[in-house]
Coordinates of all heavy atoms in Angstrom, one line a residue:
T1156 N -12.4 9.4 -14.1 CA -11.0 9.7 -14.1 C -10.8 11.2 -14.5 O -9.7 11.6 -14.5 CB -10.2 8.8 -15.1 OG1 -10.6 9.0 -16.4 CG2 -10.3 7.3 -14.6
D1157 N -11.9 11.8 -14.9 CA -11.8 13.3 -15.2 C -11.3 14.0 -13.9 O -10.4 14.9 -14.0 CB -13.1 13.8 -15.6 CG -13.1 15.3 -16.1 OD1 -12.1 15.6 -16.7 OD2 -14.0 16.0 -15.8
L1158 N -11.8 13.7 -12.8 CA -11.4 14.3 -11.5 C -9.9 13.9 -11.2 O -9.1 14.8 -10.9 CB -12.2 13.8 -10.4 CG -11.7 14.2 -9.0 CD1 -11.8 15.7 -8.8 CD2 -12.6 13.6 -7.9
E1159 N -9.5 12.7 -11.5 CA -8.2 12.3 -11.3 C -7.2 13.0 -12.1 O -6.1 13.4 -11.6 CB -8.0 10.8 -11.5 CG -6.7 10.2 -11.2 CD -6.6 8.7 -11.4 OE1 -7.5 8.1 -12.0 OE2 -5.6 8.1 -11.0
A1160 N -7.6 13.4 -13.3 CA -6.6 14.1 -14.2 C -6.4 15.6 -13.7 O -5.4 16.1 -14.0 CB -7.3 14.2 -15.6
R1161 N -7.3 16.1 -12.9 CA -7.2 17.4 -12.3 C -6.4 17.4 -11.0 O -6.1 18.5 -10.5 CB -8.5 18.1 -12.2 CG -9.2 18.3 -13.5 CD -10.5 19.0 -13.4 NE -11.4 18.1 -12.7 CZ -12.7 18.4 -12.3 NH1 -13.1 19.6 -12.5 NH2 -13.3 17.5 -11.6
L1162 N -6.2 16.3 -10.3 CA -5.6 16.2 -9.0 C -4.1 16.2 -9.2 O -3.5 15.7 -10.1 CB -6.0 15.0 -8.3 CG -7.5 14.9 -7.9 CD1 -7.8 13.5 -7.4 CD2 -7.9 16.0 -7.0
D1163 N -3.4 16.7 -8.1 CA -1.9 16.7 -8.1 C -1.5 15.3 -7.6 O -1.8 14.9 -6.5 CB -1.5 17.8 -7.1 CG 0.0 17.9 -7.0 OD1 0.7 17.1 -7.6 OD2 0.5 18.8 -6.4
L1164 N -0.8 14.6 -8.5 CA -0.4 13.2 -8.2 C 0.7 13.2 -7.1 O 1.0 12.1 -6.7 CB 0.0 12.5 -9.5 CG -1.1 12.3 -10.5 CD1 -0.6 11.7 -11.8 CD2 -2.3 11.6 -10.0
A1165 N 1.2 14.3 -6.8 CA 2.2 14.3 -5.7 C 1.5 14.3 -4.4 O 2.1 14.0 -3.3 CB 3.1 15.5 -5.8
I1166 N 0.2 14.6 -4.4 CA -0.7 14.6 -3.2 C -1.6 13.5 -3.1 O -1.9 12.9 -2.0 CB -1.4 15.9 -3.0 CG1 -0.4 17.1 -3.0 CG2 -2.3 16.0 -1.8 CD1 -1.0 18.5 -3.1
Y1167 N -2.2 13.1 -4.2 CA -3.2 12.1 -4.2 C -2.8 10.8 -4.9 O -1.9 10.8 -5.8 CB -4.5 12.6 -4.9 CG -5.1 13.8 -4.2 CD1 -4.8 15.1 -4.5 CD2 -5.9 13.5 -3.1 CE1 -5.3 16.1 -3.9 CE2 -6.5 14.6 -2.4 CZ -6.2 15.9 -2.8 OH -6.7 16.9 -2.1
F1168 N -3.4 9.7 -4.5 CA -3.1 8.3 -5.1 C -4.3 7.5 -5.2 O -5.1 7.5 -4.3 CB -2.1 7.7 -4.1 CG -1.6 6.3 -4.5 CD1 -0.7 6.1 -5.6 CD2 -2.1 5.2 -4.0 CE1 -0.4 4.8 -6.0 CE2 -1.8 3.9 -4.4 CZ -0.9 3.8 -5.4
R1169 N -4.5 6.8 -6.3 CA -5.6 6.0 -6.6 C -5.2 4.6 -5.9 O -4.4 3.9 -6.4 CB -5.9 5.8 -8.0 CG -7.1 4.8 -8.2 CD -7.5 4.8 -9.7 NE -8.2 6.0 -10.1 CZ -9.5 6.3 -9.9 NH1 -10.2 5.5 -9.2 NH2 -10.0 7.5 -10.3
T1170 N -5.9 4.2 -4.9 CA -5.6 2.9 -4.3 C -6.4 1.8 -4.9 O -6.0 0.7 -4.9 CB -6.0 2.9 -2.8 OG1 -7.4 3.2 -2.7 CG2 -5.2 4.0 -2.0
H1171 N -7.5 2.1 -5.5 CA -8.4 1.2 -6.1 C -9.2 1.9 -7.1 O -9.3 3.1 -7.1 CB -9.3 0.6 -4.9 CG -10.1 -0.6 -5.3 ND1 -11.3 -0.6 -5.8 CD2 -9.7 -1.9 -5.1 CE1 -11.7 -1.8 -6.0 NE2 -10.8 -2.7 -5.6
H1172 N -9.9 1.2 -8.0 CA -10.6 1.8 -9.1 C -11.7 2.8 -8.6 O -12.1 3.7 -9.3 CB -11.2 0.8 -10.1 CG -12.3 0.0 -9.5 ND1 -13.6 0.4 -9.4 CD2 -12.3 -1.3 -8.9 CE1 -14.4 -0.6 -8.9 NE2 -13.6 -1.6 -8.5
S1173 N -12.1 2.6 -7.4 CA -13.2 3.4 -6.8 C -12.7 4.4 -5.6 O -13.6 5.0 -5.0 CB -14.4 2.6 -6.3 OG -13.9 1.7 -5.3
H1174 N -11.4 4.4 -5.4 CA -10.9 5.2 -4.3 C -9.6 6.0 -4.6 O -8.6 5.4 -5.2 CB -10.6 4.3 -3.1 CG -11.8 3.6 -2.6 ND1 -12.7 4.2 -1.7 CD2 -12.2 2.4 -2.7 CE1 -13.6 3.4 -1.4 NE2 -13.4 2.2 -2.0
I1175 N -9.6 7.3 -4.3 CA -8.5 8.1 -4.4 C -8.2 8.7 -3.0 O -9.1 9.2 -2.4 CB -8.6 9.3 -5.4 CG1 -8.9 8.7 -6.8 CG2 -7.4 10.2 -5.4 CD1 -9.2 9.7 -7.9
V1176 N -7.0 8.6 -2.5 CA -6.6 9.1 -1.1 C -5.4 10.0 -1.2 O -4.7 10.1 -2.1 CB -6.4 7.9 -0.2 CG1 -7.6 7.0 -0.1 CG2 -5.1 7.2 -0.5
S1177 N -5.2 10.7 0.0 CA -4.1 11.5 0.2 C -3.2 10.7 1.2 O -3.6 10.6 2.4 CB -4.5 12.8 0.8 OG -3.3 13.6 1.1
P1178 N -2.1 10.0 0.7 CA -1.3 9.2 1.6 C -0.8 9.8 2.9 O -0.7 9.1 3.9 CB -0.1 8.8 0.7 CG -0.7 8.8 -0.6 CD -1.7 10.0 -0.7
P1179 N -0.5 11.2 3.0 CA -0.2 11.7 4.3 C -1.3 11.6 5.3 O -1.0 11.8 6.5 CB 0.1 13.2 3.9 CG 0.5 13.2 2.5 CD -0.4 12.1 1.9
H1180 N -2.5 11.3 4.9 CA -3.6 11.3 5.9 C -3.9 9.8 6.2 O -5.0 9.5 6.7 CB -4.8 11.9 5.3 CG -4.7 13.4 5.2 ND1 -4.7 14.2 6.3 CD2 -4.3 14.1 4.1 CE1 -4.5 15.5 5.9 NE2 -4.2 15.5 4.6
A1181 N -3.0 8.9 5.9 CA -3.1 7.5 6.2 C -2.6 7.2 7.6 O -1.5 7.7 8.0 CB -2.4 6.6 5.2
L1182 N -3.3 6.3 8.3 CA -2.8 5.9 9.7 C -2.0 4.6 9.6 O -1.0 4.5 10.3 CB -4.0 5.7 10.6 CG -4.6 6.9 11.2 CD1 -5.8 6.5 12.1 CD2 -3.7 7.8 12.0
E1183 N -2.5 3.7 8.9 CA -2.0 2.3 8.9 C -2.3 1.6 7.6 O -3.4 1.7 7.1 CB -2.7 1.6 10.1 CG -2.2 0.2 10.4 CD -2.9 -0.4 11.6 OE1 -3.6 0.3 12.4 OE2 -2.7 -1.6 11.8
L1184 N -1.3 0.8 7.2 CA -1.5 -0.2 6.1 C -1.9 -1.5 6.8 O -1.2 -2.1 7.6 CB -0.2 -0.3 5.3 CG -0.3 -1.1 4.0 CD1 -1.2 -0.3 3.1 CD2 1.0 -1.2 3.4
V1185 N -3.1 -1.9 6.4 CA -3.7 -3.1 7.0 C -3.6 -4.3 6.0 O -4.1 -4.2 5.0 CB -5.2 -2.9 7.3 CG1 -5.8 -4.1 8.0 CG2 -5.3 -1.7 8.3
M1186 N -2.9 -5.4 6.5 CA -2.8 -6.5 5.6 C -3.5 -7.7 6.3 O -3.2 -8.1 7.5 CB -1.3 -6.9 5.5 CG -0.5 -5.7 4.8 SD 1.2 -6.0 4.7 CE 1.2 -6.6 3.0
K1187 N -4.5 -8.2 5.6 CA -5.3 -9.3 6.2 C -5.4 -10.4 5.1 O -5.9 -10.1 4.0 CB -6.6 -8.8 6.6 CG -7.4 -9.9 7.4 CD -8.8 -9.3 7.9 CE -9.6 -10.4 8.5 NZ -10.9 -10.0 8.9
D1188 N -5.0 -11.6 5.5 CA -5.0 -12.7 4.5 C -4.2 -12.2 3.2 O -3.1 -11.9 3.4 CB -6.5 -13.1 4.1 CG -7.2 -13.6 5.3 OD1 -6.6 -14.3 6.2 OD2 -8.5 -13.4 5.5
E1189 N -4.9 -12.1 2.1 CA -4.2 -11.7 0.9 C -4.6 -10.3 0.5 O -4.2 -9.8 -0.6 CB -4.5 -12.7 -0.2 CG -4.0 -14.1 0.2 CD -3.3 -14.8 -0.9 OE1 -3.1 -14.3 -2.0 OE2 -2.9 -16.0 -0.6
S1190 N -5.4 -9.6 1.2 CA -5.8 -8.3 0.9 C -5.1 -7.2 1.7 O -4.6 -7.4 2.8 CB -7.4 -8.2 1.1 OG -7.6 -8.2 2.5
V1191 N -5.0 -6.1 1.0 CA -4.4 -4.9 1.7 C -5.3 -3.7 1.7 O -6.0 -3.5 0.7 CB -3.1 -4.5 0.9 CG1 -2.4 -3.3 1.4 CG2 -2.1 -5.7 0.8
S1192 N -5.4 -3.0 2.8 CA -6.3 -1.9 3.0 C -5.5 -0.8 3.6 O -4.4 -1.0 4.2 CB -7.5 -2.2 3.8 OG -8.2 -3.2 3.2
L1193 N -6.0 0.5 3.5 CA -5.4 1.6 4.1 C -6.4 2.2 5.1 O -7.5 2.6 4.7 CB -5.0 2.6 3.0 CG -4.1 3.7 3.3 CD1 -2.7 3.2 3.8 CD2 -3.9 4.6 2.1
M1194 N -6.0 2.4 6.4 CA -6.8 3.0 7.3 C -6.5 4.5 7.4 O -5.3 4.9 7.5 CB -6.6 2.5 8.8 CG -7.5 3.1 9.8 SD -7.2 2.5 11.5 CE -7.7 0.8 11.3
M1195 N -7.5 5.3 7.1 CA -7.3 6.8 7.0 C -7.5 7.5 8.4 O -8.2 6.9 9.3 CB -8.3 7.3 6.0 CG -8.2 6.7 4.6 SD -6.5 6.8 3.9 CE -6.3 8.5 3.7
A1196 N -7.0 8.7 8.5 CA -7.0 9.4 9.7 C -8.2 10.4 9.8 O -8.2 11.4 10.4 CB -5.7 10.3 9.8
D1197 N -9.3 9.9 9.3 CA -10.5 10.7 9.4 C -11.3 10.3 10.7 O -10.8 9.4 11.4 CB -11.5 10.5 8.2 CG -11.9 9.1 8.0 OD1 -11.3 8.2 8.6 OD2 -12.9 8.9 7.2
H1198 N -12.4 10.9 11.0 CA -13.1 10.7 12.3 C -13.5 9.3 12.4 O -13.5 8.7 13.5 CB -14.3 11.7 12.3 CG -15.2 11.5 13.5 ND1 -14.8 12.0 14.8 CD2 -16.4 10.9 13.7 CE1 -15.7 11.7 15.7 NE2 -16.7 11.0 15.1
Q1199 N -13.9 8.6 11.3 CA -14.4 7.2 11.4 C -13.3 6.2 11.1 O -13.6 5.0 11.1 CB -15.5 7.0 10.4 CG -16.7 7.9 10.7 CD -17.7 7.9 9.6 OE1 -17.4 7.7 8.4 NE2 -19.0 8.0 9.9
Q1200 N -12.1 6.7 10.9 CA -11.0 5.8 10.5 C -11.4 4.8 9.4 O -11.3 3.6 9.5 CB -10.4 5.0 11.8 CG -9.7 5.9 12.7 CD -9.1 5.2 13.9 OE1 -9.5 4.1 14.3 NE2 -8.1 5.8 14.4
T1201 N -11.8 5.5 8.3 CA -12.3 4.7 7.1 C -11.2 3.8 6.6 O -10.0 4.1 6.5 CB -12.7 5.7 6.0 OG1 -13.7 6.6 6.6 CG2 -13.2 5.0 4.8
V1202 N -11.6 2.6 6.3 CA -10.7 1.6 5.7 C -10.9 1.5 4.2 O -12.0 1.3 3.8 CB -10.8 0.2 6.4 CG1 -9.9 -0.8 5.7 CG2 -10.5 0.3 7.9
V1203 N -9.9 1.8 3.4 CA -10.0 1.9 2.0 C -9.2 0.7 1.3 O -8.1 0.5 1.7 CB -9.4 3.2 1.5 CG1 -9.4 3.3 0.0 CG2 -10.1 4.4 2.2
P1204 N -9.9 0.0 0.4 CA -9.2 -1.1 -0.2 C -8.0 -0.6 -1.1 O -8.1 0.5 -1.6 CB -10.2 -1.8 -1.1 CG -11.2 -0.7 -1.4 CD -11.2 0.2 -0.2
V1205 N -7.0 -1.5 -1.2 CA -5.8 -1.2 -2.1 C -5.8 -2.4 -3.1 O -5.7 -3.5 -2.7 CB -4.5 -1.1 -1.4 CG1 -3.3 -0.8 -2.3 CG2 -4.6 0.0 -0.3
S1206 N -5.8 -2.1 -4.4 CA -5.7 -3.1 -5.4 C -4.3 -3.7 -5.4 O -3.4 -3.1 -5.0 CB -6.1 -2.6 -6.8 OG -5.1 -1.8 -7.2
R1207 N -4.2 -5.0 -5.8 CA -2.9 -5.7 -5.8 C -2.0 -4.9 -6.7 O -0.8 -4.8 -6.3 CB -3.1 -7.1 -6.3 CG -3.8 -8.0 -5.2 CD -3.9 -9.4 -5.7 NE -4.6 -10.2 -4.7 CZ -5.4 -11.2 -4.9 NH1 -5.6 -11.6 -6.2 NH2 -6.0 -11.8 -4.0
P1208 N -2.3 -4.5 -7.9 CA -1.4 -3.8 -8.7 C -0.9 -2.5 -8.1 O 0.3 -2.0 -8.4 CB -2.1 -3.5 -10.0 CG -3.2 -4.4 -10.0 CD -3.6 -4.7 -8.6
N1209 N -1.6 -1.9 -7.2 CA -1.2 -0.6 -6.6 C -0.5 -0.7 -5.2 O 0.0 0.3 -4.7 CB -2.4 0.3 -6.4 CG -3.0 0.7 -7.7 OD1 -2.3 0.7 -8.7 ND2 -4.3 1.1 -7.8
T1210 N -0.5 -1.9 -4.7 CA 0.1 -2.1 -3.3 C 1.6 -1.8 -3.3 O 2.1 -1.0 -2.4 CB -0.1 -3.6 -2.9 OG1 -1.5 -3.9 -2.8 CG2 0.5 -3.8 -1.5
A1211 N 2.4 -2.2 -4.2 CA 3.9 -1.9 -4.2 C 4.1 -0.5 -4.3 O 5.0 0.1 -3.5 CB 4.6 -2.7 -5.3
H1212 N 3.4 0.2 -5.2 CA 3.7 1.7 -5.4 C 3.2 2.5 -4.1 O 3.9 3.4 -3.7 CB 2.9 2.2 -6.6 CG 3.2 3.7 -6.9 ND1 2.2 4.5 -7.3 CD2 4.3 4.3 -6.8 CE1 2.8 5.7 -7.4 NE2 4.1 5.6 -7.2
L1213 N 2.1 2.0 -3.5 CA 1.7 2.7 -2.2 C 2.7 2.5 -1.1 O 3.0 3.4 -0.3 CB 0.3 2.1 -1.8 CG -0.2 2.7 -0.5 CD1 -0.5 4.2 -0.7 CD2 -1.5 2.1 -0.1
K1214 N 3.3 1.3 -1.0 CA 4.3 1.1 0.0 C 5.5 1.9 -0.2 O 6.1 2.4 0.7 CB 4.7 -0.5 0.0 CG 3.7 -1.4 0.6 CD 4.2 -2.8 0.5 CE 3.2 -3.8 1.2 NZ 3.7 -5.1 1.2
E1215 N 5.9 2.1 -1.5 CA 6.9 3.1 -1.8 C 6.6 4.5 -1.3 O 7.5 5.2 -0.7 CB 7.2 3.1 -3.3 CG 7.9 1.9 -3.8 CD 8.1 2.0 -5.3 OE1 8.2 3.2 -5.9 OE2 8.2 1.0 -6.0
L1216 N 5.4 4.9 -1.6 CA 5.0 6.3 -1.2 C 5.0 6.4 0.3 O 5.3 7.5 0.8 CB 3.6 6.6 -1.7 CG 3.4 6.8 -3.2 CD1 1.9 7.0 -3.5 CD2 4.2 8.1 -3.6
L1217 N 4.6 5.4 1.0 CA 4.6 5.4 2.5 C 5.9 5.1 3.2 O 6.1 5.2 4.3 CB 3.5 4.4 3.0 CG 2.1 4.7 2.6 CD1 1.2 3.6 3.1 CD2 1.6 6.0 3.2
G1218 N 6.9 4.8 2.3 CA 8.3 4.5 2.9 C 8.3 3.2 3.6 O 9.1 3.0 4.5
I1219 N 7.5 2.2 3.2 CA 7.5 0.8 3.7 C 8.4 0.0 2.9 O 8.1 -0.2 1.7 CB 6.1 0.3 3.8 CG1 5.2 1.2 4.7 CG2 6.1 -1.1 4.4 CD1 3.8 0.9 4.7
A1220 N 9.4 -0.6 3.4 CA 10.3 -1.5 2.7 C 9.7 -2.9 2.6 O 9.0 -3.3 3.5 CB 11.7 -1.6 3.4
Q1221 N 10.0 -3.5 1.5 CA 9.6 -4.9 1.3 C 10.5 -5.8 2.1 O 11.7 -5.6 2.3 CB 9.8 -5.3 -0.2 CG 8.9 -4.6 -1.1 CD 7.5 -5.2 -1.1 OE1 7.1 -6.0 -0.3 NE2 6.7 -4.7 -2.0
V1222 N 9.9 -6.8 2.8 CA 10.7 -7.7 3.7 C 10.8 -9.0 2.9 O 9.7 -9.6 2.5 CB 10.0 -7.9 5.0 CG1 10.7 -8.9 5.8 CG2 9.8 -6.6 5.7
S1223 N 12.0 -9.5 2.8 CA 12.1 -10.8 2.1 C 11.7 -11.9 3.0 O 11.9 -11.9 4.2 CB 13.6 -11.0 1.6 OG 14.4 -11.0 2.7
P1224 N 11.1 -13.0 2.4 CA 10.6 -14.1 3.3 C 11.7 -14.9 3.8 O 12.8 -15.0 3.2 CB 9.7 -14.9 2.3 CG 10.2 -14.5 0.9 CD 10.7 -13.1 1.0
K1225 N 11.5 -15.4 5.1 CA 12.5 -16.2 5.8 C 12.1 -17.6 5.6 O 10.9 -17.9 5.5 CB 12.7 -15.8 7.2 CG 13.2 -14.3 7.3 CD 13.3 -14.0 8.8 CE 13.9 -12.6 9.0 NZ 13.9 -12.3 10.4
T1226 N 13.1 -18.5 5.7 CA 12.8 -19.9 5.6 C 13.0 -20.6 7.0 O 14.1 -21.0 7.3 CB 13.6 -20.6 4.6 OG1 15.0 -20.4 4.9 CG2 13.3 -20.1 3.1
N1227 N 12.0 -20.6 7.8 CA 12.0 -21.3 9.2 C 13.2 -21.0 10.0 O 13.8 -21.9 10.5 CB 11.8 -22.8 8.9 CG 10.5 -23.2 8.3 OD1 9.5 -22.5 8.4 ND2 10.5 -24.3 7.5
G1228 N 13.7 -19.7 10.0 CA 14.8 -19.4 10.8 C 16.1 -19.8 10.3 O 17.1 -19.6 11.0
E1229 N 16.1 -20.5 9.1 CA 17.4 -20.9 8.6 C 18.2 -19.7 8.0 O 17.6 -18.8 7.5 CB 17.2 -21.9 7.5 CG 16.6 -23.2 7.9 CD 16.3 -24.1 6.8 OE1 16.8 -23.9 5.7 OE2 15.6 -25.2 7.0
K1230 N 19.5 -19.8 8.1 CA 20.3 -18.8 7.5 C 20.5 -19.1 6.1 O 20.6 -20.3 5.8 CB 21.7 -18.8 8.2 CG 21.7 -18.2 9.6 CD 23.0 -18.2 10.2 CE 23.1 -17.7 11.6 NZ 24.4 -17.7 12.2
Q1231 N 20.5 -18.1 5.3 CA 20.8 -18.4 3.9 C 22.2 -18.2 3.6 O 22.8 -17.1 3.8 CB 19.9 -17.4 3.0 CG 18.4 -17.6 3.2 CD 17.7 -16.7 2.2 OE1 18.2 -15.9 1.5 NE2 16.4 -16.9 2.2
N1232 N 22.9 -19.3 3.2 CA 24.3 -19.3 3.0 C 24.6 -19.1 1.5 O 23.8 -19.3 0.7 CB 25.0 -20.6 3.5 CG 24.8 -20.8 4.9 OD1 24.9 -19.9 5.7 ND2 24.6 -22.0 5.3
S1233 N 25.8 -18.6 1.3 CA 26.3 -18.4 -0.1 C 26.4 -19.8 -0.7 O 26.7 -20.8 0.0 CB 27.6 -17.8 -0.1 OG 27.5 -16.5 0.5
P1234 N 26.2 -20.0 -2.0 CA 26.4 -21.3 -2.6 C 27.8 -21.8 -2.4 O 28.8 -21.0 -2.4 CB 26.1 -21.0 -4.0 CG 25.6 -19.7 -4.2 CD 25.9 -18.9 -2.9
A1235 N 28.0 -23.1 -2.3 CA 29.3 -23.7 -2.1 C 30.1 -23.6 -3.4 O 29.5 -23.6 -4.4 CB 29.2 -25.2 -1.7
R1236 N 31.4 -23.3 -3.2 CA 32.3 -23.2 -4.4 C 32.9 -24.5 -4.7 O 33.3 -25.2 -3.7 CB 33.3 -22.1 -4.2 CG 32.7 -20.8 -4.0 CD 33.7 -19.7 -3.9 NE 33.1 -18.4 -3.7 CZ 33.6 -17.3 -3.7 NH1 35.0 -17.2 -3.9 NH2 33.0 -16.2 -3.5
A1237 N 33.0 -24.8 -5.9 CA 33.7 -26.1 -6.3 C 35.2 -26.0 -6.4 O 35.7 -25.0 -6.6 CB 33.1 -26.5 -7.7

């Protein structure tokens, strides 16, 4: 974390305990099963893991909105008034 302390946090982000990335160089947020990874825009399109605690903050940095779950196409109505 000595290196992390010297990095500009406006440019770099720790996705996982073993990975620090620059979000502007990300191509895609990959969600598979229950894991989240970040595909980078390097020559090999490196896939970097994202820890669960860091996923929400990374989505904010990337401008990805949270989508609320739907219930089988049903409309959610306001509670009935008595």
